[in-house]
Amino acid sequence: MTAVASAESTTESLPLGVPRMWRLSAGSVALDRDEMLRYLGHQGQAIDPALATRIDAAAADAVAAAAPAGAWSVFPISVAPANPTAANRIVLEGTALELTGRDIYRHLKDARYAAVLTCTLGMRAEQRLRVLSSQSPLEGAVFDAACSALVESTADALNHEIERAAAAAGLSCNWRFSPGYGDLPLDVQPTVLAALNATRLCGISTTPTNLLMPTKSITAFIGLFEGTPHAADTVRSCTGCRVAAGCAFRTRGIRCWQPARPAHAPKGLA
């Protein structure tokens, strides 16, 4: 068997270069109430029973409104070498994606492939959020926190599917890295969505300022490695985050990447 044929046979479980639609049935993603409360700034203080009832109602409302969906694909990685006037960059073959920045370079440089993913709660949840926010700031804030927790759970579920597919191909994964983290700019968002045909497959688009719409949507990159991922790229930390100095999570002694629920990704020290 040739080297090319061998490589192709190991990636049969992966959507190599072809976006794969992904969807969950309504209500199938569990909402972590502790995670939701964390988004609300809760620090363990007692919650009035009347407020607890409203929080639970908003949580149930968010679960009912969410329609978790997404898309993902896998692309070979080329590392474009540095020259005196340009930094190293990661090129995903078969796409227009050229990822610049020290942090994403470190994250993907030793990987053979990059899994590119996007997921969303859908426009129904977005529309419900807008209605509640206009009617009651409190209800809107609680619903927003519930949706934030839900979309992270949705991303975790898709992340797990990618890990299973990678394992079937004999590959291992590092953690997901999203635009806006570290020095990876948000302006890659439109190209990410184009590579995944995400607007057609799951209704995700970008605003003129490169924010995702629906707002409860996520894009990310995961490195797929032959063997164990490079140690430096398996550990999350706050070191590369642009908002670390004023982070509300850090002031409470927690980290945004250390959820209350068991995490699929390794945990590091900030």
Side-chain angles (χ1 to χ4, degrees):
M1 180 180 293
T2 66
V4 172
S6 177
E8 290 176 349
S9 67
T10 63
T11 57
E12 290 178 355
S13 62
L14 302 174
L16 193 60
V18 179
R20 177 179 293 175
M21 179 67 181
W22 177 85
R23 190 179 298 277
L24 294 175
S25 58
S28 61
V29 176
L31 187 151
D32 188 309
R33 192 172 184 275
D34 289 338
E35 185 81 346
M36 173 185 173
L37 291 175
R38 192 178 69 154
Y39 279 110
L40 288 170
H42 183 251
Q43 300 182 52
Q45 63 268 39
I47 299 176
D48 178 84
L51 178 57
T53 298
R54 297 175 74 177
I55 289 173
D56 290 340
D61 192 6
V63 170
W72 67 286
S73 190
V74 172
F75 303 97
I77 289 175
S78 292
V79 178
N83 61 55
T85 60
N88 280 329
R89 66 188 187 277
I90 299 292
V91 176
L92 302 192
E93 297 177 7
T95 78
L97 280 165
E98 294 191 5
L99 308 178
T100 59
R102 176 199 60 187
D103 300 313
I104 191 65
Y105 176 77
R106 290 181 64 250
H107 193 69
L108 295 178
K109 67 181 178 65
D110 296 323
R112 180 170 182 180
Y113 303 98
V116 185
L117 69 91
T118 187
C119 62
T120 183
L121 297 186
M123 279 306 299
R124 183 181 174 192
E126 182 72 22
Q127 291 163 354
R128 182 65 176 152
L129 175 58
R130 293 178 184 179
V131 169
L132 288 174
S133 298
S134 66
Q135 293 176 344
S136 167
L138 175 60
E139 302 295 340
V142 176
F143 186 87
D144 182 82
C147 287
S148 293
L150 269 178
V151 76
E152 286 295 333
S153 292
T154 299
D156 285 345
L158 178 51
N159 203 142
H160 289 322
E161 175 165 312
I162 293 169
E163 289 173 344
R164 287 191 293 269
L171 302 170
S172 60
C173 301
N174 59 7
W175 50 275
R176 63 178 181 267
F177 191 116
S178 290
Y181 178 76
D183 56 3
L184 179 62
L186 285 175
D187 61 15
V188 303
Q189 297 281 41
T191 314
V192 172
L193 297 184
L196 295 175
N197 199 11
T199 301
R200 185 180 69 83
L201 292 180
C202 43
I204 305 175
S205 60
T206 57
T207 69
T209 55
N210 296 313
L211 299 179
L212 298 177
M213 182 58 62
T215 56
K216 300 308 177 183
S217 302
I218 289 172
T219 61
F221 302 92
I222 301 171
L224 274 57
F225 297 76
E226 294 178 326
T228 303
H230 190 281
D233 296 326
T234 62
V235 180
R236 286 184 171 182
S237 80
C238 301
T239 303
C241 182
R242 68 184 66 182
V243 298
C247 177
F249 290 117
R250 285 168 61 89
T251 61
R252 303 199 302 273
I254 58 178
R255 303 293 183 263
C256 69
W257 39 268
Q258 289 182 326
R261 62 183 181 279
H264 72 280
K267 296 180 180 180
L269 298 177

